[in-house]
Amino acid sequence: MKILVAEDDPASLLILRKALQRLGHDCVAARNGTEAWEQYLARVPDVVITDWMMPGMDGPELIARIREAPRYCYVVILTALAEDANALEGMSAGADGYLTKPLNRAELELSLVAAERMTALHRRLAEREAELEAVNARLKKESRRGLCLGVRPIDCAAFVPS
Amino acid sequence: VLGEWAQPPRPAGTDDAGAAIDPAVLGRLRVGLDDDEVLAEIVALYSTDAASRVAELELALAAGDAEGLVRTAHTLKGSSSNVGATQVTLLAQRLGDEALDGESDEMHLLVDRLRDEVTRAASALRADLAAAV
């Protein structure tokens, strides 16, 4: 998977990047939230792993922007130990999972298994949505031509969970 | 025994609680990476970065910048916990908590302690790397 890591500490970033590479993932790094958002738009990652507190745009704001974007992305928040309140706040803000520092490689791997399943599911959903859009467009066209009497265009939005 | 009793009490959070690094955390990192060159790079990055974070803390403290203190202490705590720099992690946590609560004399004490502990952690990490070769 293509994974974007937003982390302002260079040592933690290198640890995470090496761990992700060893698990066979493609890692894109950003040193703060603003850079992460730019990379998110440019690189379209499957997963974002973001630190909680960063200069400029922080983790919660980055998550909020990602959740406003139309495409689904699995988001994991990174918190230091003894910050359970932050983890809860992060999950409420739209994160799908959280990891604690020091980084536990087994937990990272488990989190990415869940991420793989969720992104696959959302990809299928997006494909289905595109198919429905195409069918709807065709029906509208045929309806306009009067070739499809009695058939009304399908409201795609009704089939797609918000 | 009497000598111990006669010593003045230490301010909270400044007790020299022991080893600068946790060998278990560093050991797990070494096994996970399976690459001593990368480990050396991580230790070098940490040492440089932690020293500059302490300088940032000193500036933030002098400027009365509570938000800067909280954020920098948080970053220092995270990086230190990743390399097993136990004392720095604990002191950075305490400093972050104090900064959230507002200005206090203890923050100056904690930043002083952090400066020493970052130096101690960096040498302990280097010593560990040298011993593993």
Side-chain angles (χ1 to χ4, degrees):
Chain A
M1 288 186 291
K2 193 188 294 174
I3 301 175
L4 171 64
V5 178
E7 169 66 83
D8 64 326
D9 163 49
S12 301
L13 178 61
L14 183 55
I15 290 170
L16 191 49
R17 192 157 64 181
K18 288 290 169 188
L20 291 172
Q21 283 168 354
R22 287 203 74 177
L23 291 170
H25 299 290
D26 180 14
C27 178
V28 179
R31 293 291 302 273
N32 55 58
T34 313
E35 198 184 311
W37 178 240
E38 286 165 9
Q39 293 275 25
Y40 178 84
L41 295 173
R43 307 289 292 272
V44 200
D46 302 301
V47 179
V48 170
I49 302 178
T50 178
D51 196 7
W52 178 255
M53 225 180 270
M54 291 180 290
M57 195 192 301
D58 61 10
E61 196 186 335
L62 177 65
I63 296 173
R65 286 201 186 193
I66 291 171
R67 287 295 170 246
E68 278 170 16
R71 189 181 154 278
Y72 173 78
C73 176
Y74 194 90
V75 180
V76 179
I77 194 129
L78 263 176
T79 67
L81 284 176
E83 287 179 355
D84 294 345
N86 286 358
L88 186 61
E89 201 181 327
M91 296 293 281
S92 308
D96 298 292
Y98 74 97
L99 290 167
T100 53
K101 295 177 189 177
L103 182 70
N104 180 318
R105 302 171 83 87
E107 282 175 9
L108 173 68
E109 198 170 355
L110 288 174
S111 185
L112 294 175
V113 169
E116 208 136 24
R117 191 178 301 132
M118 283 293 277
T119 48
L121 199 64
H122 278 271
R123 205 178 300 124
R124 281 206 300 276
L125 201 61
E127 284 165 8
R128 193 89 183 98
E129 189 179 348
E131 281 169 23
L132 281 170
E133 292 277 3
V135 168
N136 203 26
R138 206 173 61 234
L139 281 172
K140 271 183 180 167
K141 203 173 162 187
E142 287 179 3
S143 172
R144 271 200 303 273
R145 284 181 186 164
L147 297 173
C148 195
L149 292 171
V151 178
R152 297 168 67 86
I154 301 163
D155 181 4
C156 284
F159 288 85
V160 180
S162 56
Chain B
V1 175
L2 276 173
E4 280 174 31
W5 279 98
Q7 278 181 7
R10 287 168 165 169
T14 61
D15 48 320
D16 194 3
I21 58 166
D22 180 351
V25 174
L26 200 59
R28 278 197 293 274
L29 188 56
R30 175 176 279 118
V31 171
L33 288 166
D34 193 26
D35 186 336
D36 281 355
E37 274 183 32
V38 175
L39 185 63
E41 196 184 337
I42 286 165
V43 165
L45 276 174
Y46 169 73
S47 305
T48 312
D49 188 73
S52 65
R53 299 287 176 191
V54 173
E56 277 175 38
L57 288 173
E58 285 167 344
L59 285 174
L61 193 59
D65 174 11
E67 198 187 314
L69 277 168
V70 171
R71 196 180 56 236
T72 308
H74 170 90
T75 305
L76 186 57
K77 181 178 64 171
S79 63
S80 303
S81 73
N82 264 336
V83 295
T86 322
Q87 296 306 310
V88 182
T89 307
L90 291 172
L91 288 166
Q93 165 87 55
R94 280 196 64 99
L95 179 64
D97 292 346
E98 291 285 332
L100 272 178
D101 291 344
E103 179 79 22
S104 81
D105 292 340
E106 189 154 329
M107 294 203 295
H108 291 270
L109 219 56
L110 288 168
V111 173
D112 283 346
R113 281 287 288 156
L114 271 170
R115 194 187 309 109
D116 295 343
E117 285 299 338
V118 162
T119 311
R120 209 157 75 90
S123 11
L125 287 167
R126 278 195 299 274
D128 189 281
L129 284 181
V133 173

